[in-house]
Structure formats: structure tokens, C-alpha cells
Amino acid sequence: MTLIIEKCARGVAHLRLNRPEALNALNAALIDALLEAVQRHNSNPEIGCIVLYGTDRAFVAGADIKAMLPKDFADVQAEEMFVFRINDLAKIQKPLIAVVEGYALGGGCELAMACDIILASEKAQFAQPEITLGTIPGLGGTQRLTRAVGKAKAMDLVLSGRRMKAEEAERAGLVSRIVPSEELHAEATKLAETIAGYSHPVVKMAKQAVNLAAETTLSQGLQNEKQLFEASFALEDRREGMTAFAEKRKPVWQQR
Ligand code: DAK
């Protein structure tokens, strides 16, 4: 099994990529299994957050180079390979947390960037090494990376193919937080359970609003944010959240 659903508990689905013999290199079977599992948990009202793990050696070492090797222009153009599926992943409504230990290279860095939050251990390494293979990033590595770290750093990484350590990745804004290896899974679980413990429709609005920042002008983005804020006042959960505050008790979310 290339993808293991480790557990679903306290509103969180924990998914583990499982191709250790190839350092979790992405192939069609792995991406299909991942997307199917993410979409299924996205539709499950019990689930409020999804966490994606690799192994301690590699989150994902890229798309499978050996599978790509024999393909020509017509093949990759006809197949589109994983492009749509990575973009579909980036479009899911519930938050996705990527837990990165070891390598997140090429398609692995791009997969992590399609998630909403990246938690990394101090041993994580990020790169877009496609240039070393005679190609360029094709799953968001020139676009999401540039939005995350800015043109100067993205150009450096994409043109050199060099690896960036966790500390640099956090400083650059690619990684949300660095957590010591031994605490990483517990911290990811804690964060995911915190998110899953909020009103799911409100979390969805918050995620949507932040994502719109990368898609629109500032004035359009502010307008979208205002509309989403106003829409939250149509939810029972908004009234419940503020009532609970006033009554000094914990809110009981109705998810509506
Ligand atoms: N693909 C296939 N196999 C891989 C792999 C990969 N990306 N990465 C590692 N492996 C395999 C190795 O071949 C080796 O297998 P065996 O030889 O044992 O059979 C096994 O995993 C262990 O790897 P190593 O022996 O190399 O382990 P090391 O610790 O020495 O080195 C490494 C680890 C991660 C530094 C090294 O394996 C490495 O440099 N790997 C390749 C990293 C890389 O270049 N990644 C980027 C790939 S290109 C698109 C679709 C996809 C993409 C773009 C566009 N469109 C449809 C538009 C994506 C492209 C990429 O991701």
C-alpha cells in the first residue's frame, strides 16, 4: 500500500506516504491513493483537518525519475501526469498539514506547498532540483514557491537546484514552524486537533480567505475577506462562539 491511513481520531485524519524503497517518490498510484483519501476525508463531516506524513528520511524525494525517464513530449503532454491532481489537492476545503522530515525535493516540495501548513523537523531539506535533471519544476515549483519566498530566493533555488535546510526555509517563509524531530508528530497532532476543534465552516472560510491573497489584487482580496467575514455572521457557530465568550464557557459548535 503506497498510502496508509494511520488513524482518524479527534477530528483528524492522519495519512502516511509509504514508498520507502524509493524515498516516497511520487508515482501515479501514490498520487491517486493520496487524492482519493484526501477527498474522502474532506467529505467526512467528522474530519476537520488532514495531516500528511512521509518517513523520517524523506517526505517525498520528488516525482519518480525512473518512471519519467522514457517519456517524450507527447507522452507528458497527453498524460498531464500529476498536475491536475496536485492542483485538486490544493483546492480541497479542509486544512492540510504537511509534516516534513528529511527530503522534500522537486515534486515533494511542490506537494508540501500544495498543503496549507508545513511543519518541518530541523533535519528537513527542501529543493527544486529539476534543473539538475535537465528539466524545470512543473507542479507549482516556479509559482507557489515564488509566492511563498519571493522572486529572489525562488530564482536562486530553481536555477541552482541547491538544497535549503529547514532553518533557511522557515526564515524564507516556506515552512510554518520548525519542531524538534522527537516532538514533530505530537505537535502536528496538537495543531491539527486544535484546528479540527473549531467550527468547520468557519475554518473553511478562513482558509479560503488566506488563499485568495495569492490569487487577487489587495483591494479585491480585502473585498473578498469582508464578504467572508460578513458571511460568518450567517452561521449559528458565530453566534455560539461569541455567546460562549460572554457566558465564560466553551463553545459547542453546531457546524452550521
Ligand atoms: N525517483 C525515483 N527513485 C528515487 C527518487 C526519485 N525522485 N529519489 C530516490 N529514489 C530512489 C533511489 O533511486 C534509490 O533506489 P535504489 O537505487 O535503491 O533502487 C532509493 O530511492 C534510495 O535513494 P538513494 O540511494 O539515492 O539515497 P541517498 O540517501 O543516497 O540520496 C537523495 C537521497 C534524495 C538525495 C537522492 O535519492 C536524490 O537525489 N533523489 C532524486 C531527487 C530529485 O531529483 N527529485 C526531483 C525529481 S523531478 C510534472 C510532473 C512531475 C514533476 C514535474 C512536472 N508534470 C506533469 C508537469 C516533478 C518532477 C520531479 O520531482
Side-chain angles (χ1 to χ4, degrees), residues 87-131:
N87 290 339
D88 285 348
L89 197 72
K91 280 187 209 137
I92 72 145
Q93 294 174 337
K94 289 178 184 167
L96 258 171
I97 299 175
V99 176
V100 178
E101 299 175 85
Y103 300 113
L105 309 180
C109 185
E110 290 166 313
L111 174 61
M113 289 191 290
C115 298
D116 302 300
I117 293 174
I118 301 178
L119 293 188
S121 87
E122 65 278 60
K123 294 182 196 129
Q125 294 191 48
F126 299 83
Q128 294 296 157
E130 290 83 352
I131 198 115

Side-chain angles (χ1 to χ4, degrees), residues 129-140:
E130 290 83 352
I131 198 115
T132 69
L133 300 166
T135 183
I136 72 163
L139 299 173

Side-chain angles (χ1 to χ4, degrees), residues 21-23 25 57 61-66 68 80-83 103 105-107 129-130 133 138-139 163:
E21 71 286 359
L23 301 184
R57 215 171 144 208
D64 191 316
I65 300 168
K66 294 164 195 168
M68 282 190 287
E80 299 283 0
M81 288 164 69
F82 324 123
V83 182
Y103 300 113
L105 309 180
E130 290 83 352
L133 300 166
L139 299 173
R163 289 192 214 139

